[in-house]
C-alpha cells in the first residue's frame, strides 16, 4: 500500500500516453469518424472520459462519485468540438485525476467512497477507474489504427518481421 498511489498513477499515465501518441497521428476529421451510428467516435470517447474523470475525481473524498451536475447521456452525443477542444478536455480530465491521486494520504486509501450507489474503498475506486480508462483507451488506439492503416506508427514493440 505504501506506493499504491504512485504505482496507480504511473499506470494511468502510461495509458494516457497511448492516447496522446494516437492523437498525434490523427487529423481533425479522424476524431469524429464512426464506422456506424452505434459505435462511438474517438471524440465521443474523449467526451465520456472527461465527464467521468471530472465526476469521479472532483472532491473524491468528500462527494459522491456520481455528481448531480454530470450529464452522462450527453457525453455520448456528437458535439462540434475541434481537435484542440478535445485535447483540452483530455488534458483537463487527466490533470484532475492526477491531482486528486497525488493529494491522497496513505490513510485515505481505506476510506469509503460511493460510485453509482456502490460503496468502495478509495483503493478499489482507483483500480475501478484504471480499468475503465484502459478499456476506453484501447478503443481509441484501435480506432486510430484502423483509420491510419498502413501509416500507423506502432505504440509498443512492433511485431517481428518474417525472417528475422
Amino acid at each position: 500500500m505504501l506506493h499504491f498511489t504512485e504505482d496507480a498513477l504511473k499506470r494511468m499515465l502510461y495509458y494516457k500516453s497511448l492516447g496522446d501518441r494516437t492523437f498525434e497521428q490523427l487529423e481533425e476529421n479522424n476524431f469524429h469518424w464512426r464506422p456506424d451510428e452505434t459505435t462511438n467516435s474517438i471524440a465521443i470517447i474523449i467526451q465520456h472520459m472527461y465527464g467521468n474523470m471530472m465526476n469521479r475525481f472532483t472532491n473524491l473524498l468528500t462527494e459522491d462519485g456520481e455528481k448531480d451536475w454530470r450529464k452522462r447521456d450527453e457525453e455520448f452525443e456528437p458535439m462540434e468540438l475541434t481537435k484542440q477542444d478535445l485535447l483540452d478536455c483530455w488534458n483537463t480530465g487527466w490533470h484532475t485525476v492526477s491531482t486528486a491521486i497525488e493529494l491522497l494520504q496513505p490513510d485515505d486509501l481505506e476510506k469509503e467512497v460511493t460510485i453509482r450507489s456502490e460503496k468502495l474503498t478509495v483503493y478499489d475506486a482507483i483500480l475501478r477507474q484504471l480499468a475503465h480508462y484502459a478499456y476506453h483507451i484501447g478503443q481509441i488506439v484501435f480506432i486510430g489504427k484502423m483509420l491510419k492503416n498502413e501509416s500507423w506508427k506502432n505504440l509498443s514493440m512492433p511485431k517481428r518481421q518474417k525472417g528475422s
Side-chain angles (χ1 to χ4, degrees):
M1 289 283 236
L2 183 61
H3 299 287
F4 174 75
T5 55
E6 294 102 6
D7 293 343
L9 189 54
K10 181 172 91 173
R11 290 287 156 231
M12 284 192 183
L13 294 177
Y14 165 74
Y15 287 111
K16 178 189 183 297
S17 77
L18 294 178
D20 291 338
R21 290 169 36 220
T22 297
F23 303 152
E24 290 169 2
Q25 297 185 53
L26 301 178
E27 305 300 322
E28 183 97 23
N29 64 326
N30 295 148
F31 281 79
H32 299 280
W33 178 82
R34 300 191 301 173
D36 59 56
E37 290 298 313
T38 65
T39 304
N40 292 325
S41 66
I42 289 173
I44 289 172
I45 296 167
I46 292 170
Q47 292 166 192
H48 168 61
M49 288 184 67
Y50 169 77
N52 179 278
M53 290 170 163
M54 300 306 291
N55 190 45
R56 300 288 186 254
F57 286 94
T58 299
N59 302 322
L60 172 67
L61 297 175
T62 59
E63 293 180 4
D64 191 296
E66 196 62 36
K67 312 287 191 287
D68 291 337
W69 46 259
R70 184 179 186 197
K71 307 242 185 306
R72 185 181 183 280
D73 289 349
E74 291 177 18
E75 296 166 13
F76 293 96
E77 296 297 326
M79 296 180 196
E80 296 297 322
L81 299 175
T82 65
K83 178 178 179 177
Q84 189 57 56
D85 294 335
L86 292 163
L87 294 177
D88 290 346
C89 288
W90 174 258
N91 289 317
T92 299
W94 282 107
H95 176 75
T96 300
V97 170
S98 297
T99 301
I101 292 174
E102 288 168 351
L103 291 173
L104 291 172
Q105 299 302 309
D107 290 347
D108 292 334
L109 296 174
E110 293 299 324
K111 290 181 179 173
E112 202 170 73
V113 294
T114 304
I115 298 176
R116 299 184 129 195
S117 303
E118 182 182 1
K119 299 276 187 199
L120 303 165
T121 62
V122 170
Y123 176 92
D124 193 26
I126 291 171
L127 290 176
R128 181 184 194 274
Q129 294 312 118
L130 174 60
H132 184 221
Y133 301 151
Y135 169 80
H136 285 308
I137 293 167
Q139 293 173 319
I140 288 169
V141 171
F142 183 72
I143 293 169
K145 188 173 181 179
M146 284 189 335
L147 286 165
K148 299 315 285 183
N149 199 2
E150 297 296 321
S151 65
W152 175 254
K153 294 179 189 81
N154 201 340
L155 304 180
S156 61
M157 185 181 300
K159 186 168 71 172
R160 285 215 256 165
Q161 300 299 315
K162 292 185 189 228
S164 59

